[in-house]
Amino acid sequence: MTMRITLHTRTLHFKQPAKTSRGQYTSRISRYVVVESGGVRGVGECATLPDLSCDERSDYDLLLRQFCDTIERTGRIPYEALRPYPSMLFGIETAFAQLAAGGSTALFDTPFARGEVGIPTNGLVWMGSYDQMLARMQEKLDLGFRCIKLKIGAIDFDKELELLRIIRSAFPKDKVELRVDANGAFAPNEAKVRLEQLARYDLHSIEQPIRQHQWTDMARLCQESPIAIALDEELIGVNIPSEKERLLDTIHPQYVVLKPSLHGGMMGCEEWVSMAKIRGIGSWMTSALESNVGLNAIAHLAARTYGTDDIMPQGLGTGQLFTDNIDMPIALRGERMYYDHH
């Protein structure tokens, strides 16, 4: 059966600048892989983040086209060749999953895909001024989120502590789970003291307290920290299974946070999950600011990977970020994401 693959590029615009401690995004480019075979169509999103993705490169479009030409000829995904290019692999895997589902955006058969259950999601509070962050925080709580993730490391640290103090004085940890993401903002020599200050506020976890590639410092922090540490940026570019095992065995974090566009596509994330589980390390999945095409795929992957009974809150609350997102049958109702099954 012949297979035809076309590529489309689209620029998405943020409603408000998405700020992290590394800088801010006002727009982003996504490529869409459209695979057609036997009258069925599958679409996947290939999205890189500048200064973050291991496969962000000047010849990206040319390389993606070459992989698509190979797939048109063979009808198969060249997984091993695509390991160094997680965003490409994720987009292609998504398109193939939709083909296998007969063209449905319900990619895998799960209670979530059947519209029977929603996936718990953390409310994401972006960096901003103290007043902005407080207002965003209140908005998420009013919507019913019981797990909030705060981006920290951009404003004065004492002000961030004050924000956490205000939240905790109103909402104890049995009412609201608090996660923070430092995006590598702390210096190794100050991180332990900062983690001790943060620990007063009963945090669930902190993502990437120091920059990646400092394995010795990170391993020590994971051992000594009063707050559970989750690795995120640390996993980027670690695409070979033996290297993944070496990282987990060296650093031994409490959690890994998985973004298919950055961490090996669906295949790579499933490897991370199973390797982490063997070592008693927890995990959850989150979006890397994709459009709803990628977000839908991550939600279905999370539902298939973790089941839907005892799933931790996932990072799926990014669908409202863009002014010009793509319509998909996913929606946040309260703190849960639902697939509107038809």
Side-chain angles (χ1 to χ4, degrees):
M1 195 179 290
T2 57
M3 184 174 279
R4 183 166 167 267
I5 303 178
T6 51
L7 299 174
H8 306 278
T9 301
R10 181 168 173 156
T11 301
L12 299 157
H13 300 88
F14 288 94
K15 290 176 184 171
Q16 294 162 333
K19 280 187 186 174
T20 76
S21 58
R22 283 185 307 272
Q24 67 177 28
Y25 299 106
T26 53
S27 66
R28 65 154 322 156
I29 294 169
S30 278
R31 286 89 167 179
Y32 295 89
V33 178
V34 182
V35 183
E36 293 172 274
S37 180
V40 181
R41 189 167 173 269
V43 181
E45 179 175 8
C46 305
T48 58
L49 284 169
D51 308 323
L52 192 58
S53 299
C54 65
D55 52 355
E56 170 75 24
R57 43 192 289 159
S58 57
D59 61 348
Y60 188 98
D61 295 292
L62 179 68
L63 198 58
L64 178 58
R65 183 66 258 174
Q66 287 170 352
F67 279 121
C68 290
D69 290 344
T70 301
I71 294 165
E72 280 182 337
R73 282 197 309 277
T74 62
R76 287 196 303 275
I77 301 174
Y79 283 100
E80 290 307 313
L82 277 162
R83 271 191 188 274
Y85 312 105
S87 65
M88 297 186 196
L89 177 56
F90 179 49
I92 292 164
E93 286 173 309
T94 302
F96 267 68
Q98 190 175 349
L99 272 190
S104 169
T105 53
L107 302 181
F108 310 114
D109 185 23
T110 62
F112 169 71
R114 294 192 293 273
E116 294 164 9
V117 294
I119 298 174
T121 298
N122 64 248
L124 179 58
V125 174
W126 283 96
M127 288 176 172
S129 70
Y130 175 82
D131 290 337
Q132 283 172 326
M133 289 179 80
L134 191 58
R136 287 169 191 166
M137 183 84 211
Q138 191 57 55
E139 189 186 304
K140 298 295 178 196
L141 295 167
D142 291 345
L143 287 168
F145 285 93
R146 290 191 300 268
C147 174
I148 304 282
K149 174 176 157 180
L150 276 162
K151 293 268 189 185
I152 63 170
I155 62 173
D156 179 70
F157 186 63
D158 289 333
K159 286 192 170 167
E160 290 172 339
L161 291 175
E162 177 63 10
L163 258 182
L164 291 168
R165 189 191 67 74
I166 288 173
I167 296 158
R168 271 289 172 250
S169 60
F171 299 96
K173 70 173 179 181
D174 59 339
K175 295 276 190 292
V176 173
E177 179 180 289
L178 279 177
R179 300 172 179 175
V180 294
D181 183 0
N183 286 123
F186 303 155
N189 62 354
E190 69 181 5
K192 188 159 183 277
V193 171
R194 295 207 156 180
L195 291 171
E196 283 163 358
Q197 290 174 285
L198 287 164
R200 296 177 204 148
Y201 304 107
D202 296 318
L203 303 186
H204 169 270
S205 55
I206 180 167
E207 286 179 42
Q208 205 69 41
I210 61 173
R211 286 193 181 279
Q212 64 265 52
H213 310 312
Q214 303 179 86
W215 286 19
T216 308
D217 288 320
M218 189 66 95
R220 192 180 64 250
L221 275 182
C222 288
Q223 214 176 347
E224 298 174 352
S225 172
I227 305 169
I229 289 177
L231 300 186
D232 175 357
E233 287 93 337
E234 197 73 66
L235 314 178
I236 296 170
V238 183
N239 298 315
I240 308 299
S242 59
E243 276 294 288
K244 293 179 178 183
E245 291 179 326
R246 195 167 76 85
L247 182 147
L248 294 174
D249 289 336
T250 303
I251 299 178
H252 210 93
Q254 284 76 28
Y255 296 101
V256 289
V257 183
L258 299 166
K259 299 179 168 89
S261 293
L262 296 174
H263 300 138
M266 295 187 186
M267 174 190 74
C269 284
E270 286 170 329
E271 284 178 354
W272 279 116
V273 170
S274 60
M275 287 176 185
K277 204 172 186 180
I278 289 164
R279 292 161 174 79
I281 297 167
S283 65
W284 66 87
M285 289 186 195
T286 182
S287 146
L289 310 182
E290 296 88 356
S291 76
N292 282 336
V293 174
L295 189 59
N296 176 69
I298 297 165
H300 284 281
L301 178 64
R304 184 180 72 170
T305 303
Y306 299 118
T308 40
D309 288 343
D310 198 24
I311 186 171
M312 290 175 73
Q314 307 291 300
L316 304 173
T318 55
Q320 294 85 27
L321 291 179
F322 302 107
T323 59
D324 43 11
N325 211 332
I326 294 166
D327 284 341
M328 291 292 277
I330 48 173
L332 274 176
R333 293 202 281 278
E335 64 165 359
R336 288 180 180 262
M337 171 172 277
Y338 289 87
Y339 180 80
D340 287 326
H341 178 67
H342 300 298

